[in-house]
Amino acid sequence: MADCIFCKIAQKEIPSSVVYEDENLLCFHDLEPQAPVHVLIIPKKHIASLDAVTQEDAALLGGLLLKTGEIAKLLGLENGYRLVSNCGEDGLQTVRHLHFHLLGKRKMTWPPG
Ligand code: AMP
Ligand code: ZN
């Protein structure tokens, strides 16, 4: 999608620090890490948010969640981690391309801010 920064990252028009990539998914380091490990996992397909997901995306998202556990292992998050997808205005989503924050290597707090 034109003017979508994560589409541009997925298409390598904007550089990123890639952790994992396959034909459907990209995982790269967040520019402003909120934990010692903070990566973003995105579908390469433009989907605006979890609100925009359709039945057609079921296999894609199932694959993404399965891969998340593997990426966590790859990043050494044996002691646990947090997976977050901010959605819409109340969720404070700033980039309107579905993404999952994978955060680890520090003790998280609850409730989130
Ligand atoms: P959210 O606020 O949930 O929409 O998260 C967007 C995230 O994207 C933030 O954590 C930003 O730091 C991150 N971000 C924005 N632009 C880039 C970029 N070019 N490369 C890596 N991370 C980015
Ligand atoms: Zn996009």
Side-chain angles (χ1 to χ4, degrees), residues 5-6 9 28-32 38 40 86 92-95 99 101:
I5 188 167
F6 285 0
I9 286 176
F28 54 96
H29 288 279
D30 196 291
L31 263 189
E32 293 180 45
H38 184 179
L40 301 172
N86 297 324
L92 222 65
Q93 182 182 7
T94 59
V95 177
H99 54 280
H101 299 256

Side-chain angles (χ1 to χ4, degrees), residues 74-105:
L74 194 75
L75 293 169
L77 304 181
E78 293 86 6
N79 209 40
Y81 53 85
R82 184 166 288 172
L83 187 68
V84 174
S85 188
N86 297 324
C87 183
E89 204 178 323
D90 280 0
L92 222 65
Q93 182 182 7
T94 59
V95 177
R96 299 292 170 130
H97 179 127
L98 178 62
H99 54 280
F100 294 83
H101 299 256
L102 176 62
L103 302 126
K105 293 279 182 195

